């Protein structure tokens, strides 16, 4: 792809680093920004800089937040004794959109995947186990995607806490095997949360 401007080429190269954005799409986006009023582009630039420099991760659940504690963890209307374990912040958003869940979350930041070099120590697992050992939780709901990596992660956490007096459940399999939560429709996902099953039962059926 030939460019008549080095600045244009650089902008396209940077845009193309975003997931799902190829060089041609990046070029269309950059040319669109070039046509917009300078003020609009500056607003976009500031929003991206603020995102990188000012957004925090909640110290309780690891969800994205503008404050040290996210709005969900800080809410007096949430049941802090029920924790839904998810892979990333997109899953929190998907479950919240169902309006069916009133507990809090624990964001792992990924799934155990030896093939990809992701070990338990690289995820937010230890802080979850500490909450369980500290008697802060009555129930853990495993809401990871039903993939091999998701099941491996669920089982690893379960083995760390199975001796504790705590309920462990998993979302009902209304979510198809291999499906990601963020792509599930709200009704199906909501029902999967409400009709969750004991985690031990999922082990017997696997």
């Amino acid at each position: 792809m030939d460019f008549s401007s080095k600045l244009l080429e650089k902008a396209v190269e940077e845009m193309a680093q975003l997931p799902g954005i190829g060089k041609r799409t990046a070029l269309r986006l950059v040319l669109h920004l070039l046509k917009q009023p300078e003020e609009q582009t500056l607003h976009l630039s500031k929003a991206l800089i603020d995102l990188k420099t000012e957004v925090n991760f909640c110290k309780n659940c690891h969800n994205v937040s503008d404050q040290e504690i996210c709005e969900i963890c800080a809410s007096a209307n949430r049941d802090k004794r029920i924790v839904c374990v998810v892979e990333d912040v997109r899953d929190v958003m998907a479950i919240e959109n169902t309006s069916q869940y009133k507990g809090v979350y624990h964001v792992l930041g990924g799934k155990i995947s030896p093939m990809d070099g992701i070990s338990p120590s690289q995820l937010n697992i230890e802080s979850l186990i500490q909450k369980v050992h500290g008697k802060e939780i009555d129930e853990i709901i495993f809401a990871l995607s039903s993939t091999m990596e998701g099941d491996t992660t669920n089982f690893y956490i379960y083995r760390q806490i199975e001796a504790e007096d705590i309920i462990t459940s998993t979302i009902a399999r209304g979510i198809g095997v291999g499906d990601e939560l963020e792509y599930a429709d709200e009704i199906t996902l909501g029902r999967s949360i409400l009709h969750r099953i004991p985690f031990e039962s999922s082990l017997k059926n696997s």
Side-chain angles (χ1 to χ4, degrees):
M1 189 178 292
D2 295 326
F3 295 90
S4 58
S5 164
K6 292 295 183 182
L7 295 175
L8 176 64
E9 182 178 5
K10 178 63 175 176
V12 170
E13 287 177 354
E14 293 297 327
M15 189 75 75
Q17 293 185 45
L18 296 173
I21 304 295
K23 279 285 185 72
R24 292 185 182 279
T25 301
L27 177 59
R28 286 199 297 272
L29 292 172
V30 169
L31 290 176
H32 171 77
L33 291 173
L34 194 59
K35 294 176 184 177
Q36 300 307 302
E38 182 178 352
E39 183 179 1
Q40 184 173 338
T41 304
L42 292 175
H43 284 324
L44 174 60
S45 300
K46 185 178 186 306
L48 293 174
I49 292 172
D50 290 346
L51 175 71
K52 190 62 180 176
T53 59
E54 297 185 21
V55 167
N56 301 303
F57 288 94
C58 175
K59 73 174 188 178
N60 283 345
C61 72
H62 309 287
N63 188 20
V64 292
S65 174
D66 293 341
Q67 309 297 328
E68 190 175 53
I69 303 296
C70 72
E71 292 182 356
I72 296 174
C73 287
S75 173
N77 297 320
R78 309 298 290 234
D79 187 346
K80 310 298 194 303
R81 306 291 300 183
I82 301 177
V83 176
C84 184
V85 178
V86 297
E87 179 182 350
D88 62 31
V89 297
R90 293 171 297 180
D91 300 327
V92 174
M93 295 175 184
I95 294 173
E96 284 298 287
N97 285 338
T98 70
S99 301
Q100 298 294 319
Y101 177 65
K102 300 305 178 185
V104 293
Y105 297 90
H106 187 91
V107 181
L108 296 178
K111 294 173 289 192
I112 297 171
S113 178
M115 293 290 291
D116 297 319
I118 302 175
S119 66
S121 63
Q122 294 172 275
L123 305 177
N124 300 317
I125 292 178
E126 184 58 33
S127 56
L128 174 64
I129 294 172
Q130 289 177 0
K131 290 177 188 176
V132 174
H133 291 336
K135 310 299 181 183
E136 300 176 31
I137 303 172
D138 291 332
E139 179 183 2
I140 281 181
I141 304 170
F142 293 111
L144 302 183
S145 56
S146 51
T147 60
M148 181 180 296
E149 293 80 8
D151 290 342
T152 297
T153 307
N154 288 340
F155 186 67
Y156 176 85
I157 296 172
Y158 173 74
R159 288 302 301 270
Q160 305 303 307
I161 62 174
E162 63 179 327
E164 299 288 338
D165 183 19
I166 182 175
I167 298 170
T168 53
S169 59
T170 184
I171 57 176
R173 294 301 190 184
I175 308 300
V177 174
D179 286 354
E180 301 290 345
L181 294 192
E182 63 176 307
Y183 300 122
D185 67 89
E186 294 174 8
I187 294 176
T188 299
L189 182 54
R191 287 174 177 170
S192 294
I193 290 287
L194 290 177
H195 301 297
R196 57 189 181 271
I197 60 175
F199 183 71
E200 293 88 340
S201 298
S202 70
L203 292 178
K204 294 174 184 177
N205 295 330
S206 61

